[in-house]
Amino acid sequence: MEAKVSFTSHKILFFNTLAFTICFAVWVFNSVLVTFLVDNGVFDWGPIEIGWLFGIPILTGSIFRLPLGILTDKIGGRWVFGGLLLFCTIPLYFLSFANSFWSFALLGFGYGLAGSGFAAGIAFTSVWYPKEWQGRALGIVGVGNAGAAITTLLAPTLLIKLTNNGQDMEQWRVLPQLYAAALVVMAILFLIFTKNKKPEGQRTIKQMVKPLGNIRVWRFGLYYFLVFGCFVAFSQWLVPYFTNVYGVSLVVAGLFASLFSMPSGLIRALGGWMSDKYGARKVMEWVFKFSIGISIFLIFPKMDVFTPGKGISSTKNGVVTYVSDSKITVDETDFSLQPKVEKLIDDKKSILPIKNSWQTPLVHEGDKVVKKQVLAQGTTHIHFSANMWIFAILAFAIGIAWGIGKAGVYKFIPDYFPEDIGTVGGMVGVIGGLGGFVCPILFGYLLEWTGFWTSCWILMLVISILCFFWLKRIVIKLLNIHAPGVTEKVE
């Protein structure tokens, strides 16, 4: 029989989710602001510098998740989360005075602490709910990931209005101040309407960090590196991706990025319910399969490939008597050529690759040729538009899969570490959050090295395969322990 849950528990859950939503919107703030400033020529930063500015706030929010989770277990989430909200307003406000890469980096390191609010949120929520509610409750807190969509959806429009469509660029400095004000309001509401609570039976720091020696923590961390860290990375990276690959405006790019991040955040609550009902392991297996499959489709770049095609060779010795774009005559023998015809290609409607082939004469009238000599060289042109709408749908789908997976990972934690949710959840959050820091930087280097924007999806494919095979290895190991011989029969 399912335990009853009080109104106070649900109220705490609501404010934790709302606060984390605001924190997440702040956490990915640079994705829109930096892209806007670079696109408008305010700063001359390349993809590597942009990747660092995207990643630095994510780094801070990641590495401080563990200490914040421990601190929440020690003194309670009301003071930790409320204090975090107030602290982050300071560097965010001073971002409005930044004028260089290093000032952006330093202040980003400061307000990036907002991302560590997740550790406080899940630890503070967990103490208010029984075990059978953990998956749903923690999944609902994770809905705050949709805060990324608030920034990618609203910030571009605000920047355009504040700067009068780019006519008064200095007015971009108002946006960080508006975000800082939102944090202050959220902090006041949080401190007024929440009630503090700590886990029963307080332990020493040494006792609390002891579970971190368990390999499961690091395995869950790798899973979260993919489903959360890569989600964070793409919630930022998709903005310059759309503007560069498809040539859309910042507002449209922000809209598409929102279509990736908002459903992925909202679906996390469903992922929590699915994990409670079907088990986290089964949910994660399907998440990894989807991630692998969709990544394979996304690795193909927008491209034009020219390759040698079918040529035409002489069937006899002789003299070339006539040459045109459509025919070559050797003595009395005619050889028909496929002339080059320019095909009109509409990238907005083109879905599958389009092939265009032609043959170009290599000989001239009066030339003597021998049998099997190539008279005309064949050329094949393959155009693949990487249709923007198909790309957006696939990105939407992988975001949904990752959103479900985020809840699945955190369902593992109360199942295996019921007394250490703050510590283990914090550590898993650190590893996952590091994905959001590392990946934009790796994306920048991969783009610089390969010249392909889709190189980021190759990285996703590799990580997805690694997670899937580690999970399958654990399943086989458990079968061998609890049901020896079953694995061989299944194989």
Short mmCIF file of all heavy atoms in Angstrom, two decimals, residues 256-292:
data_model
loop_
_atom_site.label_atom_id
_atom_site.label_comp_id
_atom_site.label_asym_id
_atom_site.label_seq_id
_atom_site.Cartn_x
_atom_site.Cartn_y
_atom_site.Cartn_z
N PHE A 256 14.24 26.79 -31.85
CA PHE A 256 14.56 25.39 -32.10
C PHE A 256 15.29 24.76 -30.92
O PHE A 256 15.04 23.60 -30.57
CB PHE A 256 15.41 25.25 -33.37
CG PHE A 256 14.62 25.22 -34.64
CD1 PHE A 256 14.70 26.26 -35.55
CD2 PHE A 256 13.78 24.16 -34.92
CE1 PHE A 256 13.96 26.23 -36.73
CE2 PHE A 256 13.03 24.11 -36.08
CZ PHE A 256 13.12 25.15 -36.99
N ALA A 257 16.20 25.52 -30.30
CA ALA A 257 16.89 25.00 -29.12
C ALA A 257 15.90 24.75 -27.99
O ALA A 257 16.04 23.79 -27.21
CB ALA A 257 17.98 25.98 -28.68
N SER A 258 14.87 25.59 -27.90
CA SER A 258 13.83 25.41 -26.87
C SER A 258 13.02 24.15 -27.13
O SER A 258 12.61 23.46 -26.20
CB SER A 258 12.89 26.62 -26.86
OG SER A 258 13.60 27.81 -26.59
N LEU A 259 12.78 23.85 -28.42
CA LEU A 259 12.05 22.64 -28.76
C LEU A 259 12.84 21.39 -28.39
O LEU A 259 12.26 20.31 -28.24
CB LEU A 259 11.74 22.63 -30.27
CG LEU A 259 10.73 23.67 -30.74
CD1 LEU A 259 10.59 23.64 -32.26
CD2 LEU A 259 9.38 23.46 -30.08
N PHE A 260 14.15 21.55 -28.24
CA PHE A 260 14.98 20.44 -27.75
C PHE A 260 14.96 20.37 -26.23
O PHE A 260 14.74 19.31 -25.65
CB PHE A 260 16.42 20.63 -28.24
CG PHE A 260 17.43 19.77 -27.52
CD1 PHE A 260 17.59 18.44 -27.86
CD2 PHE A 260 18.22 20.30 -26.51
CE1 PHE A 260 18.53 17.64 -27.20
CE2 PHE A 260 19.17 19.52 -25.85
CZ PHE A 260 19.30 18.19 -26.20
N SER A 261 15.17 21.50 -25.57
CA SER A 261 15.38 21.50 -24.12
C SER A 261 14.11 21.45 -23.30
O SER A 261 14.07 20.78 -22.26
CB SER A 261 16.22 22.72 -23.72
OG SER A 261 15.61 23.92 -24.14
N MET A 262 13.03 22.13 -23.74
CA MET A 262 11.82 22.16 -22.91
C MET A 262 11.15 20.78 -22.80
O MET A 262 10.88 20.31 -21.68
CB MET A 262 10.83 23.19 -23.42
CG MET A 262 9.57 23.29 -22.55
SD MET A 262 8.48 24.63 -23.03
CE MET A 262 9.37 26.05 -22.37
N PRO A 263 10.87 20.10 -23.91
CA PRO A 263 10.25 18.76 -23.75
C PRO A 263 11.14 17.80 -22.98
O PRO A 263 10.65 16.99 -22.19
CB PRO A 263 10.07 18.29 -25.20
CG PRO A 263 10.09 19.53 -26.02
CD PRO A 263 11.02 20.47 -25.32
N SER A 264 12.46 17.89 -23.19
CA SER A 264 13.38 17.01 -22.49
C SER A 264 13.31 17.24 -20.98
O SER A 264 13.43 16.31 -20.19
CB SER A 264 14.81 17.24 -22.99
OG SER A 264 15.71 16.37 -22.34
N GLY A 265 13.12 18.51 -20.59
CA GLY A 265 12.99 18.82 -19.17
C GLY A 265 11.66 18.35 -18.61
O GLY A 265 11.59 17.71 -17.55
N LEU A 266 10.57 18.62 -19.35
CA LEU A 266 9.24 18.29 -18.86
C LEU A 266 9.01 16.78 -18.80
O LEU A 266 8.34 16.29 -17.91
CB LEU A 266 8.18 18.94 -19.76
CG LEU A 266 8.16 20.47 -19.79
CD1 LEU A 266 7.12 20.98 -20.79
CD2 LEU A 266 7.86 21.03 -18.40
N ILE A 267 9.58 16.05 -19.77
CA ILE A 267 9.36 14.61 -19.84
C ILE A 267 10.04 13.88 -18.69
O ILE A 267 9.77 12.69 -18.46
CB ILE A 267 9.87 14.07 -21.20
CG1 ILE A 267 9.16 12.76 -21.58
CG2 ILE A 267 11.39 13.85 -21.18
CD1 ILE A 267 7.74 12.94 -21.98
N ARG A 268 10.90 14.57 -17.97
CA ARG A 268 11.62 13.92 -16.88
C ARG A 268 10.67 13.39 -15.82
O ARG A 268 10.93 12.34 -15.21
CB ARG A 268 12.61 14.92 -16.26
CG ARG A 268 13.55 14.29 -15.25
CD ARG A 268 14.71 15.20 -14.98
NE ARG A 268 15.59 14.63 -13.97
CZ ARG A 268 16.83 15.06 -13.73
NH1 ARG A 268 17.34 16.04 -14.43
NH2 ARG A 268 17.57 14.50 -12.79
N ALA A 269 9.55 14.08 -15.61
CA ALA A 269 8.56 13.60 -14.64
C ALA A 269 7.98 12.26 -15.09
O ALA A 269 7.79 11.33 -14.29
CB ALA A 269 7.44 14.62 -14.47
N LEU A 270 7.73 12.13 -16.40
CA LEU A 270 7.26 10.85 -16.94
C LEU A 270 8.32 9.78 -16.77
O LEU A 270 8.02 8.62 -16.45
CB LEU A 270 6.90 11.01 -18.42
CG LEU A 270 6.50 9.72 -19.16
CD1 LEU A 270 5.24 9.13 -18.55
CD2 LEU A 270 6.30 10.00 -20.65
N GLY A 271 9.57 10.15 -16.96
CA GLY A 271 10.66 9.21 -16.77
C GLY A 271 10.72 8.69 -15.35
O GLY A 271 11.03 7.52 -15.12
N GLY A 272 10.42 9.55 -14.38
CA GLY A 272 10.38 9.13 -12.99
C GLY A 272 9.28 8.11 -12.75
O GLY A 272 9.49 7.09 -12.07
N TRP A 273 8.10 8.37 -13.33
CA TRP A 273 6.98 7.43 -13.19
C TRP A 273 7.30 6.10 -13.85
O TRP A 273 7.04 5.03 -13.29
CB TRP A 273 5.72 8.04 -13.81
CG TRP A 273 4.56 7.09 -13.83
CD1 TRP A 273 3.68 6.82 -12.81
CD2 TRP A 273 4.16 6.26 -14.94
NE1 TRP A 273 2.77 5.87 -13.21
CE2 TRP A 273 3.03 5.52 -14.50
CE3 TRP A 273 4.64 6.09 -16.23
CZ2 TRP A 273 2.39 4.61 -15.35
CZ3 TRP A 273 3.99 5.19 -17.07
CH2 TRP A 273 2.88 4.46 -16.63
N MET A 274 7.89 6.14 -15.05
CA MET A 274 8.25 4.92 -15.76
C MET A 274 9.28 4.11 -14.98
O MET A 274 9.21 2.88 -14.93
CB MET A 274 8.81 5.27 -17.15
CG MET A 274 7.78 5.82 -18.12
SD MET A 274 8.53 6.43 -19.66
CE MET A 274 9.21 4.91 -20.33
N SER A 275 10.22 4.82 -14.35
CA SER A 275 11.26 4.13 -13.57
C SER A 275 10.67 3.48 -12.33
O SER A 275 11.11 2.39 -11.92
CB SER A 275 12.36 5.12 -13.18
OG SER A 275 12.97 5.66 -14.33
N ASP A 276 9.69 4.13 -11.70
CA ASP A 276 9.00 3.53 -10.55
C ASP A 276 8.23 2.28 -10.98
O ASP A 276 8.19 1.28 -10.26
CB ASP A 276 8.02 4.53 -9.93
CG ASP A 276 8.71 5.55 -9.03
OD1 ASP A 276 9.83 5.26 -8.56
OD2 ASP A 276 8.15 6.64 -8.80
N LYS A 277 7.61 2.34 -12.17
CA LYS A 277 6.73 1.26 -12.62
C LYS A 277 7.49 0.09 -13.25
O LYS A 277 7.22 -1.08 -12.96
CB LYS A 277 5.71 1.82 -13.63
CG LYS A 277 4.66 0.80 -14.07
CD LYS A 277 3.60 1.46 -14.92
CE LYS A 277 2.57 0.45 -15.41
NZ LYS A 277 1.83 -0.17 -14.29
N TYR A 278 8.45 0.38 -14.13
CA TYR A 278 9.12 -0.67 -14.89
C TYR A 278 10.54 -0.97 -14.42
O TYR A 278 11.13 -1.97 -14.85
CB TYR A 278 9.15 -0.30 -16.38
CG TYR A 278 7.80 -0.05 -16.98
CD1 TYR A 278 7.40 1.23 -17.33
CD2 TYR A 278 6.90 -1.10 -17.17
CE1 TYR A 278 6.15 1.47 -17.88
CE2 TYR A 278 5.64 -0.87 -17.70
CZ TYR A 278 5.27 0.42 -18.06
OH TYR A 278 4.04 0.65 -18.59
N GLY A 279 11.08 -0.11 -13.58
CA GLY A 279 12.45 -0.29 -13.12
C GLY A 279 13.43 0.55 -13.92
O GLY A 279 13.30 0.68 -15.14
N ALA A 280 14.39 1.12 -13.22
CA ALA A 280 15.33 2.04 -13.86
C ALA A 280 16.19 1.34 -14.90
O ALA A 280 16.52 1.92 -15.94
CB ALA A 280 16.21 2.70 -12.80
N ARG A 281 16.55 0.08 -14.66
CA ARG A 281 17.47 -0.61 -15.58
C ARG A 281 16.84 -0.80 -16.96
O ARG A 281 17.46 -0.56 -17.99
CB ARG A 281 17.89 -1.95 -14.99
CG ARG A 281 19.01 -2.61 -15.76
CD ARG A 281 19.53 -3.86 -15.06
NE ARG A 281 20.23 -3.51 -13.83
CZ ARG A 281 19.79 -3.80 -12.61
NH1 ARG A 281 18.64 -4.42 -12.45
NH2 ARG A 281 20.48 -3.45 -11.55
N LYS A 282 15.58 -1.21 -16.99
CA LYS A 282 14.91 -1.40 -18.27
C LYS A 282 14.73 -0.08 -19.00
O LYS A 282 14.92 0.01 -20.22
CB LYS A 282 13.54 -2.07 -18.04
CG LYS A 282 12.81 -2.41 -19.32
CD LYS A 282 11.50 -3.13 -19.04
CE LYS A 282 11.76 -4.53 -18.51
NZ LYS A 282 10.50 -5.30 -18.36
N VAL A 283 14.39 0.97 -18.26
CA VAL A 283 14.22 2.29 -18.86
C VAL A 283 15.53 2.77 -19.48
O VAL A 283 15.57 3.25 -20.61
CB VAL A 283 13.72 3.31 -17.81
CG1 VAL A 283 13.81 4.74 -18.34
CG2 VAL A 283 12.28 3.00 -17.41
N MET A 284 16.63 2.61 -18.74
CA MET A 284 17.92 3.10 -19.23
C MET A 284 18.40 2.32 -20.45
O MET A 284 19.03 2.88 -21.34
CB MET A 284 18.97 3.03 -18.12
CG MET A 284 18.72 3.97 -16.96
SD MET A 284 18.40 5.68 -17.45
CE MET A 284 19.93 6.09 -18.28
N GLU A 285 18.08 1.03 -20.50
CA GLU A 285 18.49 0.24 -21.67
C GLU A 285 17.85 0.79 -22.94
O GLU A 285 18.52 0.95 -23.97
CB GLU A 285 18.08 -1.23 -21.47
CG GLU A 285 18.50 -2.12 -22.64
CD GLU A 285 18.18 -3.59 -22.40
OE1 GLU A 285 17.93 -3.97 -21.22
OE2 GLU A 285 18.15 -4.35 -23.39
N TRP A 286 16.57 1.12 -22.88
CA TRP A 286 15.89 1.67 -24.05
C TRP A 286 16.38 3.09 -24.35
O TRP A 286 16.49 3.47 -25.53
CB TRP A 286 14.38 1.66 -23.83
CG TRP A 286 13.80 0.31 -24.10
CD1 TRP A 286 13.38 -0.62 -23.17
CD2 TRP A 286 13.62 -0.30 -25.37
NE1 TRP A 286 12.94 -1.76 -23.80
CE2 TRP A 286 13.07 -1.59 -25.16
CE3 TRP A 286 13.86 0.11 -26.68
CZ2 TRP A 286 12.76 -2.46 -26.21
CZ3 TRP A 286 13.55 -0.75 -27.73
CH2 TRP A 286 13.01 -2.01 -27.48
N VAL A 287 16.69 3.86 -23.34
CA VAL A 287 17.23 5.20 -23.56
C VAL A 287 18.53 5.14 -24.35
O VAL A 287 18.74 5.89 -25.32
CB VAL A 287 17.45 5.93 -22.21
CG1 VAL A 287 18.32 7.18 -22.40
CG2 VAL A 287 16.11 6.32 -21.60
N PHE A 288 19.42 4.23 -23.95
CA PHE A 288 20.71 4.11 -24.65
C PHE A 288 20.53 3.62 -26.08
O PHE A 288 21.25 4.05 -26.99
CB PHE A 288 21.65 3.18 -23.86
CG PHE A 288 22.03 3.70 -22.50
CD1 PHE A 288 22.27 2.83 -21.45
CD2 PHE A 288 22.14 5.07 -22.26
CE1 PHE A 288 22.61 3.31 -20.19
CE2 PHE A 288 22.47 5.55 -21.01
CZ PHE A 288 22.71 4.67 -19.97
N LYS A 289 19.59 2.70 -26.30
CA LYS A 289 19.33 2.21 -27.66
C LYS A 289 18.86 3.36 -28.56
O LYS A 289 19.31 3.51 -29.70
CB LYS A 289 18.29 1.10 -27.63
CG LYS A 289 18.80 -0.23 -27.10
CD LYS A 289 17.70 -1.27 -27.10
CE LYS A 289 18.21 -2.63 -26.61
NZ LYS A 289 17.13 -3.64 -26.57
N PHE A 290 17.93 4.17 -28.06
CA PHE A 290 17.44 5.31 -28.83
C PHE A 290 18.56 6.30 -29.09
O PHE A 290 18.67 6.86 -30.19
CB PHE A 290 16.29 6.00 -28.08
CG PHE A 290 14.94 5.42 -28.39
CD1 PHE A 290 14.30 4.59 -27.49
CD2 PHE A 290 14.31 5.70 -29.58
CE1 PHE A 290 13.06 4.04 -27.77
CE2 PHE A 290 13.06 5.16 -29.89
CZ PHE A 290 12.43 4.33 -28.96
N SER A 291 19.38 6.54 -28.08
CA SER A 291 20.48 7.50 -28.23
C SER A 291 21.46 7.05 -29.31
O SER A 291 21.93 7.86 -30.12
CB SER A 291 21.20 7.67 -26.89
OG SER A 291 22.16 8.71 -26.96
N ILE A 292 21.76 5.76 -29.34
CA ILE A 292 22.66 5.22 -30.37
C ILE A 292 22.04 5.37 -31.75
O ILE A 292 22.67 5.86 -32.69
CB ILE A 292 22.99 3.74 -30.08
CG1 ILE A 292 23.86 3.62 -28.83
CG2 ILE A 292 23.68 3.09 -31.28
CD1 ILE A 292 24.01 2.19 -28.32
#
